[in-house]
Amino acid sequence: MFANSASPQRALNHLTCLRLLCLHNNQIRGLEDTMHELRRMQQLRSVTFFLNPISHEPGYRHHVMHCLPSVEVLDRKEVKPAERRRCFQMYNLDSHRVLQSVAFGRRIQ
């Protein structure tokens, strides 16, 4: 479907109730653009992007988890609670600092 395109541009954004999306082996490029396209899929539980150029971009897995927080299985691998925490730390640095300060009774500077 997307074999010759850089990303799934405007082809999927209307599928807001989708729960499973398999896009592996499609030559999808542009992680940021792809996540922007899929951002409205808040019921998505399982998604595959392996064998696409985007799956080789630095920080790929955490970026997908950040942009699609409902995903429980990414590239046939369960999203673990520790990965979610790490993702939260990476993308919500200010919120993480506040939570850490409250949890340990410290004031943030």
Side-chain angles (χ1 to χ4, degrees):
M1 182 168 164
F2 305 113
N4 295 322
S5 65
S7 67
Q9 299 171 4
R10 294 185 194 94
L12 302 173
N13 65 0
H14 66 284
L15 301 173
T16 58
C17 295
L18 205 61
R19 297 178 62 83
L20 171 67
L21 181 62
C22 298
L23 292 174
H24 53 278
N25 201 21
N26 276 289
Q27 297 302 311
I28 297 173
R29 301 175 192 282
L31 181 58
E32 195 67 42
D33 292 340
T34 301
M35 292 302 104
H36 183 75
E37 174 71 19
L38 304 180
R39 75 190 183 285
R40 296 182 57 213
M41 294 183 179
Q42 295 302 308
Q43 295 185 33
L44 197 58
R45 299 292 181 254
S46 181
V47 63
T48 60
F49 293 110
F50 62 90
L51 299 176
N52 281 290
I54 64 167
S55 67
H56 300 289
E57 291 188 26
Y60 154 77
R61 189 167 171 86
H62 286 116
H63 191 75
V64 172
M65 289 188 303
H66 170 69
C67 293
L68 302 172
S70 62
V71 169
E72 298 168 352
V73 178
L74 174 58
D75 294 335
R76 300 183 298 188
K77 183 179 173 191
E78 179 185 356
V79 174
K80 304 284 185 183
E83 287 182 296
R84 285 206 192 278
R85 284 191 298 275
R86 179 67 182 132
C87 180
F88 181 78
Q89 291 170 358
M90 291 171 62
Y91 287 94
N92 300 299
L93 191 55
D94 290 336
S95 297
H96 176 70
R97 286 181 57 226
V98 169
L99 285 175
Q100 289 297 327
S101 69
V102 170
F104 296 106
R106 297 183 299 225
R107 293 182 66 182
I108 56 174
Q109 306 276 349

